[in-house]
Amino acid sequence: GLIAMLLMPLGLDQLPLKIMGWGLEIVILIAKTVAGWGGELAFGRQPLLFLPLAVIGMILLLLLRTRLRYTGLPFLAAALAVTMATPPARPDILVSEDGRLAAIVNTTSLSSNRNKPERFLFEQWQRALTISDHQPPLPFVSAFPSGRPKNRSDRKPLSPEELSEAKTLLQSIAQAAPGRRFACIKGKWCYLPLPQASVMTLEDGRYIGFACDNARLVITQTRSKVTLCRSGAIVLDVTTLRRTGSLGITLTGDAERPFRLRPSYTTALRPWTVNRAYSWRSDDYSTGIPPEIAALFSDNGE
């Protein structure tokens, strides 16, 4: 390429460019061959110690110029050993920070509450957990239209008929026995029947009372006045999720405390997360995550 540039003023650049083209054709052939192999090598999430050990090992191996550089090999070996010995535990349920998307983590699939989940976010979950299969929710049909008008003042409370139909649909879902899979009524709510830890996600906030009576965990993409139902159910609304970020939820099997939460953020004191605590309604910063939600965080403080 350099020779061709120097020969351009003389009009003799054709042969060097032709030879350069042969090299480019080889590069393209290699790229097409590798792309034709298909598949994706996904490593998934790594233990916390993996990154510092691997970085120290690579720095020593690449920057030192004497035999001392081989001192980086034990660090790389330790990073590999940590990965193989202590793989990160998978959460049982994943919740997005806007409350719109939730998924139950199965052995070979992610079962979500959306037929077509948001691609950017959902693919991150799939890569982190090395799960490629998506299982859409089991659909159920309501005779009533969705009660989510654009103008909040036009929102009508649930009628007795809508509430009665919701109870009937819930019974139908229980009889269908979907297992570890969401069952959804489009535009209204989704239900995940789990032993001692049923979960309900809401698109229509009017069903918050119904959800509190029939689930242990309620996830709503609207604002809720409560974070703890009178029944003892936990409510995660958009305000709480904005402070915590996306959540990984582990099922404990404990009847009193069936969920353990691992939030993306546990504090709003850092400069890059303080904006999450801001409320445009009151024009101030909130005090933080509600204590009844913080009480469900992992015991190690994560």
Side-chain angles (χ1 to χ4, degrees):
L2 177 61
I3 293 172
M5 184 187 68
L6 295 175
L7 293 178
M8 278 181 184
L10 304 177
L12 301 175
D13 55 304
Q14 182 177 1
L15 181 59
L17 286 177
K18 188 173 183 179
I19 297 174
M20 182 179 175
W22 294 341
L24 291 175
E25 288 177 358
I26 294 174
V27 173
I28 293 173
L29 176 62
I30 293 172
K32 287 184 176 180
T33 301
V34 175
W37 292 345
E40 179 184 4
L41 184 60
F43 293 96
R45 295 186 306 156
Q46 298 298 321
L48 293 177
L49 284 176
F50 173 81
L51 184 60
L53 289 173
V55 168
I56 292 172
M58 290 299 295
I59 289 176
L60 294 174
L61 193 63
L62 298 178
L63 294 187
L64 297 181
R65 306 189 65 177
T66 66
R67 291 182 178 180
L68 286 175
R69 65 179 180 270
Y70 296 115
T71 57
L73 293 178
F75 287 95
L76 293 176
L80 182 61
V82 166
T83 298
M84 297 177 65
T86 58
R90 285 182 173 182
D92 293 294
I93 302 172
L94 298 171
V95 182
S96 66
E97 66 176 27
D98 59 4
R100 294 178 181 273
L101 180 62
I104 178 75
V105 181
N106 298 313
T107 305
T108 59
S109 67
L110 286 176
S111 177
S112 77
N113 62 338
R114 297 278 178 176
N115 288 316
K116 295 182 178 179
E118 182 186 346
R119 183 175 178 181
F120 177 75
L121 174 61
F122 196 71
E123 286 183 351
Q124 290 186 60
W125 290 356
Q126 290 177 311
R127 285 194 297 268
L129 299 173
T130 61
I131 295 176
S132 59
D133 185 45
H134 170 236
Q135 193 175 33
L138 191 66
F140 283 79
V141 180
S142 171
F144 297 92
S146 175
R148 297 181 301 159
K150 295 182 179 180
N151 188 349
R152 179 168 294 189
S153 61
D154 294 336
R155 183 175 298 176
K156 298 179 181 179
L158 285 178
S159 64
E161 292 77 13
E162 288 177 302
L163 186 58
S164 176
E165 185 204 51
K167 295 178 180 178
T168 301
L169 288 171
L170 196 65
Q171 293 176 357
S172 299
I173 293 172
Q175 293 174 359
R180 291 172 65 93
R181 181 181 179 184
F182 277 97
C184 292
I185 292 83
K186 185 177 180 180
K188 295 181 179 293
W189 49 272
C190 296
Y191 184 66
L192 177 64
L194 296 174
Q196 298 183 347
S198 54
V199 179
M200 189 170 287
T201 65
L202 302 182
E203 288 188 54
D204 190 338
R206 300 179 304 159
Y207 286 90
I208 184 68
F210 171 74
C212 282
D213 292 338
N214 294 280
R216 295 295 303 273
L217 178 64
V218 181
I219 303 164
T220 173
Q221 54 186 268
T222 60
R223 286 183 176 84
S224 173
K225 296 181 180 179
V226 297
T227 55
L228 186 66
C229 301
R230 282 182 288 184
S231 63
I234 295 295
V235 178
L236 299 174
D237 69 344
V238 289
T239 303
T240 299
L241 289 170
R242 186 166 183 252
R243 299 170 188 165
T244 63
S246 297
L247 288 171
I249 302 176
T250 302
L251 301 176
T252 64
D254 184 356
E256 295 296 327
R257 187 185 177 188
F259 305 104
R260 187 169 67 248
L261 310 185
R262 183 179 179 181
S264 299
Y265 306 96
T266 58
T267 177
L269 299 179
R270 296 176 180 175
W272 55 88
T273 60
V274 68
N275 63 295
R276 291 177 172 271
Y278 179 75
S279 172
W280 61 268
R281 294 176 178 271
S282 57
D283 193 24
D284 61 4
Y285 290 87
S286 61
T287 56
I289 298 169
E292 54 268 28
I293 302 298
L296 300 177
F297 288 175
S298 300
D299 295 333
N300 59 4
E302 293 181 345

